[in-house]
């Protein structure tokens, strides 16, 4: 039980699934604000119940319930959203209630308007202000609505964004494999998802998990396949703070050789024996940077930095690479090791690839950076054209040479020949 101090800024969806209003607010929007603390993203119950207590013989409650709430609902249905009672009409509302309570013994609430306007001039001011606010809201929604954009016009952009974000299964696999490598001992749950222990995790990651879940979080930590999770547990989504902490730890340790080997499940370089390739194949993880110039509505141009990480791959030696299509390069991310490589052999081959980055390989990466800049500019051009936004000044330009974040050499798995030719 609380006053309206809980009507905004407090999330209660993880602990409650019902709201009881023990008073009727004169502004109906307050009821929705209260219910919004419980009925919001992360609520695991399909239906949130709201119960309002009021006095059946209380004329003030009768006014609020039958008139204000009814009109509020009518405006909400007409505009599709809730329009609060205008702030500038609060004095008028006060006058309305005072006149009704003091001068009208048996008010009638079934008329078309809010109140009898010939009897209550203040009520007319309130109704006109409320209707005017609703009309402004409808005009605003029409002005900024994107109904002019057809989904087929931006389908390519949506598909590209979804591919970059990855699927829920990919997030689940990454999180589980990372925790397994970091001694989290993940175990499947019958209800879906899995659990992981934090006691044996590296200190830095353990502190990050505690900061995200609280010092009293349950152990083991439960990871849910659903897009939301109760307090003290984690959801297998990219935006979950625990998943983000794991990803950040894996990336940071990959860049810092001072960490113990077992705390570095990811590396920037590697040589992999695998049955996924039939000839030596090199994959590069490359980050491109662009200066993006975006026209604004006031005629100005706003600049910002954009980044794009991509994988590229080639067959053969680094001095004479045979570049693969993007689809084949991405497929290498699914390759699994089927054998070990000699450390000295691996070091020599990676060194030769790194040496070639300053020559022919970087020339090719610069060309790809220019091509990516044109793709980015074309993407913005398509979306802005569909939205009828300004195009003058739109431009994407590569910023410096691309960064090579990872180098991975895939070699065919060793085979054993049997028979006379062995």
């Amino acid at each position: 039980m609380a006053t309206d101090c809980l009507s905004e800024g407090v999330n209660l969806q993880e602990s409650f699934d019902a709201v009881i209003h023990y008073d009727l607010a004169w502004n109906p929007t307050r009821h929705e604000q209260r219910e919004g603390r419980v009925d919001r993203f992360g609520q695991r119950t399909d239906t949130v119940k709201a119960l309002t207590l009021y006095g059946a013989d209380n004329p003030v409650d009768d006014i609020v319930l039958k008139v204000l709430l009814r009109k509020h609902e009518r405006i909400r249905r007409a505009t599709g959203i809730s329009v609060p009672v205008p702030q500038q009409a609060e004095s008028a509302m006060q006058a309305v209630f005072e006149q009704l309570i003091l001068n009208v013994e048996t008010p009638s609430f079934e008329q078309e308007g809010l109140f009898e306007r010939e009897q209550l001039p203040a009520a007319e001011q309130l109704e006109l202000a409320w209707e005017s606010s609703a009309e402004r809201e409808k005009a605003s929604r029409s002005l900024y609505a994107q109904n002019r954009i057809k989904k087929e016009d931006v389908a390519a952009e949506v598909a590209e964004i979804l591919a970059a974000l990855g699927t829920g299964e990919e997030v689940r696999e990454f999180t589980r494999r990372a925790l397994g490598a970091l001694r989290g001992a993940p175990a499947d749950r019958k209800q879906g998802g899995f659990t992981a222990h934090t006691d044996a995790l590296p200190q830095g990651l353990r502190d990050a998990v505690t900061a995200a879940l609280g010092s009293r979080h349950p152990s083991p930590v439960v990871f849910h396949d659903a897009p939301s999770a109760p307090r003290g547990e984690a959801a297998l989504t990219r935006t979950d703070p625990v998943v983000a902490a794991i990803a950040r730890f894996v990336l940071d340790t990959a860049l810092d050789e001072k960490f113990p080997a077992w705390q570095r499940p990811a590396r920037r370089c590697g040589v992999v024996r695998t049955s996924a390739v039939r000839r030596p194949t090199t994959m590069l993880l490359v980050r491109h940077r662009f200066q993006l110039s975006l026209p604004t509505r006031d005629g100005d141009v706003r600049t910002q930095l954009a980044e794009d990480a991509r994988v590229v791959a080639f067959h053969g030696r680094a001095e004479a690479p045979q570049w693969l299509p993007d689809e084949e390069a991405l497929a290498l991310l699914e390759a699994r090791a089927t054998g070990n490589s000699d450390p000295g052999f691996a070091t020599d081959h990676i060194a030769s690839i790194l040496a070639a980055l300053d020559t022919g390989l970087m020339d090719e990466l610069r060309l790809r950076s220019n091509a990516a800049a044109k793709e980015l500019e074309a993407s913005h051009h398509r979306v802005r054209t569909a939205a009828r936004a300004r195009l003058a000044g739109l431009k994407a330009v590569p910023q410096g040479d691309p960064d090579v974040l990872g180098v991975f050499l895939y070699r065919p798995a060793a085979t054993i020949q049997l028979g006379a030719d062995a």
Side-chain angles (χ1 to χ4, degrees), residues 155-289:
E157 281 66 38
V158 173
E160 185 176 350
I161 291 173
L162 292 177
L165 291 177
T167 64
E169 182 58 33
E170 289 172 336
V171 174
R172 185 184 194 278
E173 181 182 4
F174 163 78
T175 306
R176 185 182 174 88
R177 291 182 62 189
L179 288 171
L182 295 170
R183 303 178 181 176
D188 290 330
R189 301 171 67 239
K190 293 181 179 179
Q191 307 92 323
F194 58 85
T195 61
H197 294 269
T198 60
D199 297 341
L201 292 177
Q203 182 67 47
L205 178 56
R206 189 163 65 248
D207 292 343
V209 172
T210 299
L213 298 181
S215 58
R216 298 182 179 180
H217 66 80
S219 182
V221 175
V222 178
F223 289 81
H224 295 269
D225 289 327
S228 62
R231 185 183 300 275
E233 300 178 2
L236 290 168
T237 62
R238 288 170 54 95
T239 55
D240 184 271
V242 177
V243 174
I246 295 171
R248 171 56 59 184
F249 184 85
V250 170
L251 177 60
D252 288 345
T253 55
L255 301 175
D256 192 342
E257 297 180 356
K258 296 180 181 179
F259 283 87
W262 72 272
Q263 296 186 16
R264 304 178 65 205
R267 303 297 174 90
R268 296 186 64 186
C269 298
V271 176
V272 182
R273 285 280 190 179
T274 177
S275 58
V277 299
R278 295 186 176 181
R279 54 187 300 192
T281 305
T282 301
M283 182 183 73
L284 306 177
L285 175 59
V286 182
R287 179 177 61 189
H288 304 280
R289 285 192 175 95

Side-chain angles (χ1 to χ4, degrees), residues 269 271 318-319 344-357 407 409:
C269 298
V271 176
E319 294 78 7
F345 173 89
T347 301
D348 292 342
H349 277 71
I350 291 296
S352 65
I353 298 173
L354 294 177
L357 288 176
V407 178
L409 173 61

Side-chain angles (χ1 to χ4, degrees), residues 408-422:
F408 306 94
L409 173 61
Y410 296 86
R411 296 185 61 81
T415 58
I416 300 177
Q417 296 182 349
L418 301 177
D421 296 331

Side-chain angles (χ1 to χ4, degrees), residues 160 286-293 303-310 365-377 380 395-403:
E160 185 176 350
V286 182
R287 179 177 61 189
H288 304 280
R289 285 192 175 95
F290 313 98
Q291 178 178 297
L292 184 61
S293 301
T303 61
Q304 64 182 45
L305 180 67
E307 293 185 349
D308 186 11
R310 301 191 179 189
L365 297 181
R366 292 191 188 101
L367 292 176
R368 291 175 178 258
S369 188
N370 289 326
K374 293 180 180 179
E375 293 175 7
L376 178 61
E377 184 176 323
H380 278 268
K395 196 172 186 60
V397 180
Q399 292 295 292
D401 288 340
D403 300 320

